[in-house]
Amino acid sequence: MKISPDAGKPADQSVLVNVPKLVTAYYESRPDPSNPRQRVAFGTSGHRGSALDVAFNEWHILAISQAICDYRKLRKIDGPLFLGMDTHALSEPAFASAMEVLAANDIDFIT
């Protein structure tokens, strides 16, 4: 495997994401369900998409969280739900959004 000439060096500003812009897009963007590129998509390690492309935002997390609550109710699952997060920039906003939905549905959760 060829070693990148950027290996071991600080990342160039041009490749860094603007985290405040990303978080703003998470809260302000509203996906268009008729646009396949803005629909929820999962990959091998979870949800795939970017708030900057309206492919991962609060609307997605609210819908996913509510679907989980609805499924648990349908299946009469009443034990606690384990809710985790990772190190991505939108983990905290998504975590907060999910907690709001779980609390509104009286789901006990462990973080």
Side-chain angles (χ1 to χ4, degrees), residues 4-93:
S4 168
D6 297 328
K9 299 177 186 171
D12 186 74
Q13 291 293 322
S14 66
V15 299
L16 298 178
V17 71
N18 180 330
V19 174
K21 183 178 178 182
L22 187 68
V23 172
T24 298
Y26 172 82
Y27 285 111
E28 291 186 352
S29 300
R30 184 172 184 149
D32 175 2
S34 69
N35 183 341
R37 293 183 180 187
Q38 294 181 7
R39 294 180 190 158
V40 171
F42 291 93
T44 55
S45 61
H47 185 277
R48 296 286 185 220
S50 170
L52 299 174
D53 298 328
V54 196
F56 181 91
N57 62 30
E58 187 171 43
W59 287 93
H60 293 106
I61 297 302
L62 296 175
I64 292 166
S65 300
Q66 186 59 52
I68 290 168
C69 293
D70 293 346
Y71 179 83
R72 288 172 56 93
K73 185 176 182 179
L74 179 71
R75 299 288 183 183
K76 298 183 183 349
I77 300 169
D78 59 5
L81 183 139
F82 290 85
L83 182 62
M85 58 188 282
D86 59 26
T87 58
H88 290 86
L90 293 178
S91 288
E92 260 187 71

